[in-house]
Amino acid sequence: MKIGIIIGSVREGRRAGAVAQWVHDAAAGRDDLDAELVDLRAFDVPLLTTETLPMAANRSYDSPGVAAWSRAIDACDGFVMVTPEYNHGVPGALKNAVDSLGPEWVGKTIGFVSYGADGGVRCVEHWRSIVANFQMLDVRQQVAMSLFTDFDGAGLAPLERRATELSTLLDQLADLTAKVRGTG
Ligand SMILES: Cc1cc2nc3c(=O)[nH]c(=O)nc-3n(C[C@H](O)[C@H](O)[C@H](O)COP(=O)(O)O)c2cc1C
């Protein structure tokens, strides 16, 4: 099964890249997942201005960036969303990119790795209600990293227990994805 690890910040100097790489390193050591980084910044998804609703676009998009983003998401069976929290909610660029597609998300699985002053827990609660609209299946386990204890001056420095939390998240994601695909 192919799991896309979405780098959910497009900001210069973002923390998301290091967090996503940490997730990828853990996923790459498993033989039940084929993990791939999906970097939102690489797709240059424009603000959604199209008249046709993405859910009704039949995967046909005017923007080359959206078309490439569509292919990348379509290729995955499930996702780990690496997401910061912005103003107690989800980051706008990532929400816009999620809104810009439709069927590419439907019925797939997702787990959340968040970070922020309070671990990004508020934005993940927000994400869970958003992805429900695509009938996505979200796993319970979350990795919620604190800006104060999981990062240091050099960057990401996760607490020891985070590796176990991530392992549980990946276990749940692999199990749920296999069930959805009818292989587990
Ligand atoms: C626009 C903006 C709003 C933010 N709001 C919050 C917030 O509500 N809660 C929080 O914990 N951190 C907040 N932060 C701090 C982010 O958690 C921190 O900057 C983090 O590194 C952002 O992720 P990124 O570096 O991958 O973009 C905010 C940051 C930005 C840029």
Side-chain angles (χ1 to χ4, degrees), residues 43-67:
F43 297 94
D44 211 10
V45 176
L47 278 180
L48 176 61
T49 56
T50 53
E51 184 177 1
T52 306
L53 303 187
M55 196 59 94
N58 222 0
R59 291 180 168 81
S60 173
Y61 304 102
D62 294 337
S63 155
V66 177

Side-chain angles (χ1 to χ4, degrees), residues 8-17 19 83-89 115-120 122 147 151:
S9 169
V10 296
R11 233 172 37 82
E12 289 297 324
R14 62 188 180 183
R15 286 186 162 97
V19 177
T83 179
E85 176 177 295
Y86 288 173
N87 293 316
H88 291 192
Y115 49 96
D118 300 302
R122 288 168 293 241
L147 297 184
F151 296 84

Side-chain angles (χ1 to χ4, degrees), residues 31-84:
D31 54 17
D32 56 349
L33 301 177
D34 172 17
E36 186 174 290
L37 289 170
V38 180
D39 186 353
L40 176 58
R41 190 153 74 183
F43 297 94
D44 211 10
V45 176
L47 278 180
L48 176 61
T49 56
T50 53
E51 184 177 1
T52 306
L53 303 187
M55 196 59 94
N58 222 0
R59 291 180 168 81
S60 173
Y61 304 102
D62 294 337
S63 155
V66 177
W69 172 240
S70 164
R71 286 192 296 274
I73 298 304
D74 241 352
C76 297
D77 300 303
F79 304 93
V80 177
M81 182 87 92
V82 174
T83 179

Side-chain angles (χ1 to χ4, degrees), residues 21 35 53-54 58 78 124 126:
Q21 189 60 56
L53 303 187
N58 222 0
V124 171
H126 192 189

